[in-house]
């Protein structure tokens, strides 16, 4: 049995669930002992980060490491292409999400409900940074003609970050320019069953989170 430590609104936990769904795996999802950031949880996961996966005696944190582990243990259906060059591109796409796009989205979290409101100037800065990252993503996708046609582990985070942008936009007054290639890529991803299933469950969580 796979056990996943997670909290409902977490972007990276949702990213992992996309892959779990794609591989038709069964898992039990539990909150971190003592709550996110607690000393009780850090006794299990020193960094305190989510998600974390327990499989037998193994406990591993970091969504990227977990994804690679799941791919090695359950290679069918594959979440990495057979060709080494395509595998490298899939991993590069994953790194771009985690180190470029997601941090631009996360920068908006300082202005979530109950926190400091974003001034018009700050909303403009955030919009500019996100738009720049989406433009970079479009250039990255230009070398991947089949991106979004079948799921790779490098793509699991994008639909979740895009859902966050949908939720954050009206709240912060963001004005984001979506390149046509990125919009088309998003549409292809959201038609994939594992992505559609996760978004059907995750979007109401975001709605409730912002309403609260």
């Amino acid at each position: 049995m796979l056990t996943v430590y997670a909290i409902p609104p977490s972007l990276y936990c949702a990213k992992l669930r996309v892959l779990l769904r794609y591989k038709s795996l069964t898992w039990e999802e539990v909150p971190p002992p003592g709550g996110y950031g607690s000393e009780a949880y850090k006794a299990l996961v020193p960094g305190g980060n989510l998600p974390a996966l327990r499989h037998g005696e193994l406990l591993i944190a970091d969504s990227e490491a977990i994804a690679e582990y799941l791919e090695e243990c359950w290679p069918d259906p594959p979440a990495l292409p057979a060709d080494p060059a395509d595998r490298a591109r899939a991993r590069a796409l994953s790194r771009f999400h985690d180190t470029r796009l997601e941090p631009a989205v996360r920068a908006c979290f300082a202005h979530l409900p109950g926190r400091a409101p974003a001034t018009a100037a700050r909303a403009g800065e955030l919009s500019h940074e996100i738009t720049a990252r989406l433009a970079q993503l479009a250039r990255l996708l230009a070398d991947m003609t089949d991106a979004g046609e079948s799921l790779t582990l490098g793509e699991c985070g994008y639909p979740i970050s895009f859902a966050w942008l949908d939720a954050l936009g009206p709240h912060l007054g963001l004005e984001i320019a979506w390149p046509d290639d990125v919009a088309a890529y998003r549409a292809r991803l959201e038609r994939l069953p594992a992505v559609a299933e996760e978004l059907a469950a995750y979007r109401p969580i975001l709605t409730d989170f912002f309403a609260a």
Side-chain angles (χ1 to χ4, degrees), residues 2 8-9 64 132 147 162 188:
L2 299 174
E64 197 80 357
F162 295 156
R188 290 195 298 273

Side-chain angles (χ1 to χ4, degrees), residues 50-138:
L50 292 170
L53 174 77
R54 184 180 292 282
H55 183 212
E57 297 300 315
L58 175 69
L59 180 63
I60 183 171
D62 184 89
S63 63
E64 197 80 357
I66 296 170
E68 294 277 0
Y69 176 74
L70 295 177
E71 176 66 5
E72 291 178 359
C73 291
W74 291 276
D76 187 32
L80 281 172
D83 180 74
D86 289 337
R87 291 168 77 91
R89 291 188 185 98
R91 288 188 168 106
L93 195 60
S94 184
R95 303 300 190 272
F96 182 86
H97 173 269
D98 289 0
T99 66
R100 297 295 187 272
L101 179 61
E102 192 278 341
V105 176
R106 187 168 294 272
C108 299
F109 290 5
H111 309 291
L112 287 172
R115 301 180 184 177
T119 64
R122 180 57 178 155
E125 293 171 355
L126 293 167
S127 299
H128 176 79
E129 179 67 15
I130 293 166
T131 295
R133 295 305 186 193
L134 292 176
Q136 292 169 346
L137 174 59

